[in-house]
């Protein structure tokens, strides 16, 4: 059924048509004088980036054994990662698929375009401005992307935590992968990674991710309510006289940026709350809250009801077996583990990414994983609580003033009535 239109929609159409028709001579001149080298053309390489490795966070490097963690090498489709000499070497055969960055729990592999936060922001931008957003890869698309198409070197490079955060708030996101694309791809491990990451996110969120295989079925409709809202916001900021000069692209970008800024504020507040609630970190070590962990915890913070689906684990210590050697503390990539002066082992669950490095490092097998209630990970947003408290106080004060004003108005009217009655008596 077609959407109901009103006068506001007509104004939006007039604005868009006016912008398209304004100064056509200049547009033609610009097109004729454009430098061909500056015109964007489809190049799959633009969406790929060779990862950088950080040995300081790498479990295998910290342990001095390439067998301590093999996740990155297991996922690499061309065996381009070498740790035989205690460091991380990425060969020139690297396909820049980004699968290693999604597989590494300590985020030792990073590529600027596909960090967890960057992936989340890119998908949110598309999902906010359009009725439907699609996450796809360079092989599936094969052309310049539309505004609602997020192109990646491989869709398998999106970790579970990002999918989870997207599923929680954006049901209009789908994966676009035509049949046969993954079958013929040289990123042979990408399809399994995609299925595993999305499957885990769907289980956590209790929702399914949409999948589209036909390009003709892709929906490129802009978000109607979003466009209307931004049009009104633009007018209110610039004034009705600026109706013909309102730039919808700028207005939409500002609104999306505001939305992403709010998510950043929420994550920063979450980090501060966790730091304030956790015990002091081991000497000379600062605990690390990975981007993936930030997205996971902030999603639980916004949707605490999802905690019942999350089955987290943390290491616990058998004190009778523990020799207080400290290997577990040294190997932990996020410094979540701690050993007190009395030899008592503890772990800050918010920072623990369940990589299992501490369990493998313990020669006495004193550590084991134990499940715990995910509600412990739901950290209240103190800033949001304080903001709502201030809003409630302000609302109460406004209501109080309104009540006082009505009482004063009533007394005034009563006084006037008495004057009128006195005048009638005369």
């Amino acid at each position: 059924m077609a959407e109901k239109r009103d006068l506001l929609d007509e104004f939006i159409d007039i604005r868009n048509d006016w912008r398209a028709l304004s100064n056509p001579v200049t547009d033609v001149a610009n097109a004729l004088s454009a430098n061909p080298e500056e015109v964007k053309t489809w190049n799959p390489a633009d969406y790929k980036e060779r990862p950088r490795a950080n040995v300081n966070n790498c479990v295998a490097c910290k342990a001095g054994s390439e067998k301590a963690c093999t996740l990155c090498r297991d996922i690499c489709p061309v065996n381009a990662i070498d740790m035989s000499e205690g460091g991380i070497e990425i060969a020139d055969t690297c396909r820049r698929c980004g699968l290693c960055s999604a597989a590494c729990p300590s985020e030792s592999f990073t590529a600027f375009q596909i960090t967890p936060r960057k992936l989340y922001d890119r998908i949110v931008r598309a999902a906010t401005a359009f009725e439907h957003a699609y996450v796809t890869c360079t092989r599936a698309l094969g052309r310049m992307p539309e505004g609602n198409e997020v192109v990646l070197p491989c869709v398998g490079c999106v970790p579970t935590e990002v999918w989870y955060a997207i599923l929680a708030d954006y049901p209009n996101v789908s994966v676009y992968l035509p049949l046969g694309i993954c079958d013929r791809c040289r990123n042979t491990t990408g399809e399994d990674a995609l299925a595993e990451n999305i499957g885990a996110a769907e289980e956590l969120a209790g929702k399914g991710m949409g999948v589209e295989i036909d390009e003709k079925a892709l929906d490129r409709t802009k978000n109607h309510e979003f466009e209307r809202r931004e049009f009104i916001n633009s007018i209110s900021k610039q004034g009705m006289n600026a109706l013909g000069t309102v730039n919808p692209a700028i207005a939409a970008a500002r609104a999306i940026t505001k939305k992403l800024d709010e998510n950043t504020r929420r994550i920063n507040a979450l980090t501060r709350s966790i730091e304030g609630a956790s015990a002091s970190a081991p000497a000379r070590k600062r605990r690390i809250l990975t981007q993936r962990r930030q997205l996971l915890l902030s999603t639980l913070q916004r949707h605490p009801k999802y905690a019942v689906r999350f089955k987290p684990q943390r290491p616990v210590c058998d004190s009778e077996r523990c020799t207080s050697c400290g290997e577990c503390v040294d190997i932990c990539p996020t410094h979540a583990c701690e050993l007190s002066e009395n030899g008592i082992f503890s772990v800050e669950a918010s920072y623990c990414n369940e990589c299992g490095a501490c369990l493998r490092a313990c020669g006495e097998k004193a550590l084991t994983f134990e499940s715990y209630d995910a509600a412990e990970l739901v950290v209240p947003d103190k800033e949001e609580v304080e903001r709502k408290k201030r809003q409630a106080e302000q609302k109460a004060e406004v209501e109080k003033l309104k009540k006082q004003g009505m009482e004063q108005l009533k007394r005034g009217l009563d006084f006037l009535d008495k004057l009128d009655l006195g005048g009638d008596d005369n």
Side-chain angles (χ1 to χ4, degrees), residues 250-262:
I250 293 177
R254 286 174 177 169
I256 296 173
T257 299
K258 182 179 179 181
K259 195 167 189 176
L260 295 175
D261 286 345
E262 171 59 22

Side-chain angles (χ1 to χ4, degrees), residues 15 18 26 38 72 77 102 109 116 139 178 223 229 239 262 269 271 277 300-301 332 335 344 358 367 391:
R15 176 205 59 191
W18 176 257
T26 301
E38 296 178 355
C72 58
F109 293 88
R139 292 193 73 250
N223 187 319
R229 185 168 62 252
E262 171 59 22
T271 303
L300 285 175
Q301 185 185 58
C332 181
H335 306 152
I344 299 175
C358 55
L367 296 178
Q391 290 176 346

Side-chain angles (χ1 to χ4, degrees), residues 246-317:
V246 172
N247 188 324
I250 293 177
R254 286 174 177 169
I256 296 173
T257 299
K258 182 179 179 181
K259 195 167 189 176
L260 295 175
D261 286 345
E262 171 59 22
N263 185 63
T264 298
R265 181 208 66 77
R266 191 164 47 239
I267 287 178
N268 291 339
L270 172 73
T271 303
R272 289 192 295 270
S273 296
I274 292 174
E275 289 176 347
S278 62
S280 59
R284 301 185 303 280
K285 293 182 180 180
R286 179 181 176 83
R287 290 196 174 94
I288 300 172
L289 195 63
T290 63
Q291 290 188 24
R292 290 159 60 169
R293 197 69 175 173
Q294 288 175 343
L295 287 171
L296 173 67
L297 296 180
S298 63
T299 302
L300 285 175
Q301 185 185 58
R302 295 195 309 277
H303 305 283
K305 62 181 180 180
Y306 288 164
V308 297
R309 296 181 174 275
F310 189 43
K311 307 299 181 185
Q313 299 182 98
R314 58 186 167 198
V316 294
C317 181

